[in-house]
Amino acid sequence: MKHLVIILIALTSIFSYAQEKDEEKLLAIKKANNYVYEGNEQVSQDKYIAAEMEYRKAISEQPANVAGAYNLGNSYYKKNKYDEALYRYEQAAKNSTSKSEKHKAYHNIGNILMKNKKCKEAVEAFKNALRNDPTDDETRYNLGLAKECAEQQKDDDKGNDKDKDKDKKDEDKKDQDKQDNKDKKEGDDKKDEEGKPKDDKQDKGKGDEKKDEKKQQPQPGQLSPQQIKNLLEAMNNQEQKVQEKINAEKQKGVKVKTEKDW
């Protein structure tokens, strides 16, 4: 009997605790809904900053509050704060259990992604919207636009890849030309250091000097130019002596002719 009483007391405590938690949860939901309502009132009066504060209170009171996140996303969207709006729409889509709410959230996510030029991601967002509401013609139309945009971006990416490949090839060719010129210059400098003349005229002059020297140097068994000259002079002198001797002998045998006596 004593154990039974203890069990009943424990069960009563658990029930009371659970009841209190349920009441707190219901109270939080009620407060969050009131904040959302106040936020909507502010939006109707174009007081977006005040509305944003109310929606934030709703989310703070109940983090999974879909209406608060979605409406806060709308508030950011109207102020062109697309990154903040995207975050709130994604939050709403994640926490929502209603197909209608999911459809609206994904539809708006797709619109923001299109504005950010993320067409491929926008296609998936609009597809998710249509999965939750296949009858929405506006979503279907936006999906078509997103697909065209994604295809265009794909073609542009291919073109950019080709341009990049061409630029890389041109750059590689320039680098190779620079290296070839560098190697050529280093080769020329190396030849100069080894004593090879740069000037063709100088090379030609030196070649002529070598030819003259070669001509002046007698070959084995031959007379030098100076020796030949001396020999010729000696021969001329000898010939002159012989001629003088012959002339002297003729002079002795010549008769003297007298003048005619008139």
Side-chain angles (χ1 to χ4, degrees), residues 93 96-107 128-134:
S96 178
T97 57
S98 166
K99 283 184 172 293
S100 176
E101 291 174 347
K102 283 184 176 292
H103 162 256
K104 292 178 181 179
Y106 280 119
H107 180 94
N128 285 331
L130 287 174
R131 289 187 184 101
N132 290 280
D133 185 4

Short mmCIF file of all heavy atoms in Angstrom, two decimals, residues 93 96-107 128-134:
data_model
loop_
_atom_site.label_atom_id
_atom_site.label_comp_id
_atom_site.label_asym_id
_atom_site.label_seq_id
_atom_site.Cartn_x
_atom_site.Cartn_y
_atom_site.Cartn_z
N ALA A 93 10.93 27.71 -44.21
CA ALA A 93 10.73 26.47 -44.97
C ALA A 93 11.12 25.26 -44.15
O ALA A 93 10.47 24.20 -44.23
CB ALA A 93 11.55 26.53 -46.26
N SER A 96 8.41 24.79 -41.18
CA SER A 96 7.00 24.70 -41.56
C SER A 96 6.57 23.24 -41.74
O SER A 96 7.31 22.40 -42.25
CB SER A 96 6.75 25.48 -42.85
OG SER A 96 5.40 25.34 -43.23
N THR A 97 5.35 22.96 -41.33
CA THR A 97 4.74 21.64 -41.54
C THR A 97 3.60 21.73 -42.55
O THR A 97 2.99 20.72 -42.90
CB THR A 97 4.20 21.08 -40.22
OG1 THR A 97 3.26 22.00 -39.66
CG2 THR A 97 5.34 20.84 -39.24
N SER A 98 3.33 22.92 -43.02
CA SER A 98 2.24 23.16 -43.97
C SER A 98 2.80 23.25 -45.38
O SER A 98 3.77 23.96 -45.64
CB SER A 98 1.51 24.45 -43.60
OG SER A 98 0.67 24.86 -44.65
N LYS A 99 2.19 22.56 -46.33
CA LYS A 99 2.62 22.61 -47.71
C LYS A 99 2.48 24.02 -48.28
O LYS A 99 3.33 24.50 -49.05
CB LYS A 99 1.81 21.63 -48.56
CG LYS A 99 2.24 20.18 -48.42
CD LYS A 99 1.46 19.30 -49.37
CE LYS A 99 2.00 17.88 -49.39
NZ LYS A 99 3.34 17.78 -49.96
N SER A 100 1.41 24.70 -47.89
CA SER A 100 1.20 26.05 -48.38
C SER A 100 2.31 26.99 -47.93
O SER A 100 2.83 27.80 -48.71
CB SER A 100 -0.16 26.57 -47.88
OG SER A 100 -0.35 27.92 -48.27
N GLU A 101 2.71 26.88 -46.64
CA GLU A 101 3.77 27.73 -46.12
C GLU A 101 5.12 27.39 -46.76
O GLU A 101 5.91 28.29 -47.08
CB GLU A 101 3.85 27.59 -44.60
CG GLU A 101 2.65 28.19 -43.87
CD GLU A 101 2.69 27.90 -42.38
OE1 GLU A 101 3.50 27.03 -41.97
OE2 GLU A 101 1.91 28.51 -41.63
N LYS A 102 5.36 26.09 -46.95
CA LYS A 102 6.60 25.68 -47.60
C LYS A 102 6.66 26.21 -49.03
O LYS A 102 7.72 26.66 -49.51
CB LYS A 102 6.72 24.15 -47.60
CG LYS A 102 7.14 23.54 -46.26
CD LYS A 102 7.31 22.05 -46.39
CE LYS A 102 7.82 21.43 -45.09
NZ LYS A 102 9.19 21.83 -44.76
N HIS A 103 5.53 26.13 -49.73
CA HIS A 103 5.49 26.60 -51.11
C HIS A 103 5.85 28.08 -51.19
O HIS A 103 6.67 28.50 -52.02
CB HIS A 103 4.10 26.37 -51.70
CG HIS A 103 3.83 27.18 -52.93
ND1 HIS A 103 3.04 28.31 -52.92
CD2 HIS A 103 4.31 27.04 -54.20
CE1 HIS A 103 3.01 28.83 -54.13
NE2 HIS A 103 3.76 28.08 -54.93
N LYS A 104 5.28 28.89 -50.33
CA LYS A 104 5.56 30.33 -50.33
C LYS A 104 7.02 30.62 -50.00
O LYS A 104 7.64 31.48 -50.63
CB LYS A 104 4.64 31.03 -49.33
CG LYS A 104 3.18 31.02 -49.72
CD LYS A 104 2.33 31.69 -48.64
CE LYS A 104 0.86 31.66 -49.00
NZ LYS A 104 0.02 32.29 -47.93
N ALA A 105 7.52 29.91 -49.02
CA ALA A 105 8.91 30.14 -48.61
C ALA A 105 9.88 29.79 -49.74
O ALA A 105 10.78 30.58 -50.08
CB ALA A 105 9.24 29.33 -47.37
N TYR A 106 9.68 28.62 -50.37
CA TYR A 106 10.59 28.22 -51.45
C TYR A 106 10.45 29.12 -52.69
O TYR A 106 11.42 29.38 -53.39
CB TYR A 106 10.33 26.76 -51.83
CG TYR A 106 10.98 25.76 -50.90
CD1 TYR A 106 10.22 24.84 -50.19
CD2 TYR A 106 12.37 25.74 -50.73
CE1 TYR A 106 10.81 23.93 -49.33
CE2 TYR A 106 12.97 24.84 -49.87
CZ TYR A 106 12.19 23.93 -49.18
OH TYR A 106 12.79 23.03 -48.32
N HIS A 107 9.22 29.57 -52.94
CA HIS A 107 9.00 30.48 -54.07
C HIS A 107 9.84 31.75 -53.88
O HIS A 107 10.52 32.22 -54.80
CB HIS A 107 7.51 30.82 -54.17
CG HIS A 107 7.19 31.76 -55.30
ND1 HIS A 107 6.80 31.32 -56.55
CD2 HIS A 107 7.22 33.12 -55.37
CE1 HIS A 107 6.61 32.37 -57.33
NE2 HIS A 107 6.84 33.47 -56.63
N ASN A 128 11.15 22.83 -55.58
CA ASN A 128 10.63 22.52 -54.25
C ASN A 128 9.29 23.22 -53.99
O ASN A 128 8.39 22.66 -53.35
CB ASN A 128 11.63 22.95 -53.18
CG ASN A 128 12.82 22.00 -53.09
OD1 ASN A 128 12.69 20.81 -53.38
ND2 ASN A 128 13.98 22.52 -52.70
N ALA A 129 9.17 24.44 -54.50
CA ALA A 129 7.90 25.16 -54.34
C ALA A 129 6.77 24.42 -55.06
O ALA A 129 5.66 24.26 -54.51
CB ALA A 129 8.04 26.58 -54.87
N LEU A 130 7.05 23.94 -56.28
CA LEU A 130 6.02 23.24 -57.05
C LEU A 130 5.70 21.88 -56.44
O LEU A 130 4.56 21.39 -56.59
CB LEU A 130 6.48 23.06 -58.50
CG LEU A 130 6.46 24.33 -59.36
CD1 LEU A 130 7.07 24.05 -60.72
CD2 LEU A 130 5.04 24.85 -59.51
N ARG A 131 6.63 21.25 -55.77
CA ARG A 131 6.33 19.98 -55.11
C ARG A 131 5.28 20.17 -54.01
O ARG A 131 4.52 19.25 -53.71
CB ARG A 131 7.61 19.40 -54.50
CG ARG A 131 8.60 18.88 -55.53
CD ARG A 131 9.76 18.15 -54.88
NE ARG A 131 10.76 17.73 -55.86
CZ ARG A 131 11.90 18.35 -56.10
NH1 ARG A 131 12.20 19.46 -55.38
NH2 ARG A 131 12.73 17.92 -57.01
N ASN A 132 5.27 21.36 -53.43
CA ASN A 132 4.29 21.64 -52.37
C ASN A 132 3.01 22.28 -52.90
O ASN A 132 2.00 22.29 -52.21
CB ASN A 132 4.92 22.56 -51.32
CG ASN A 132 5.98 21.86 -50.50
OD1 ASN A 132 5.67 21.14 -49.56
ND2 ASN A 132 7.25 22.08 -50.85
N ASP A 133 3.08 22.83 -54.13
CA ASP A 133 1.87 23.37 -54.76
C ASP A 133 2.04 23.33 -56.27
O ASP A 133 2.44 24.33 -56.89
CB ASP A 133 1.60 24.79 -54.29
CG ASP A 133 0.27 25.32 -54.84
OD1 ASP A 133 -0.45 24.55 -55.50
OD2 ASP A 133 -0.02 26.51 -54.61
N PRO A 134 1.73 22.20 -56.93
CA PRO A 134 1.92 22.05 -58.37
C PRO A 134 1.02 22.95 -59.21
O PRO A 134 1.22 23.06 -60.42
CB PRO A 134 1.59 20.58 -58.63
CG PRO A 134 1.66 19.92 -57.29
CD PRO A 134 1.25 20.97 -56.30
#
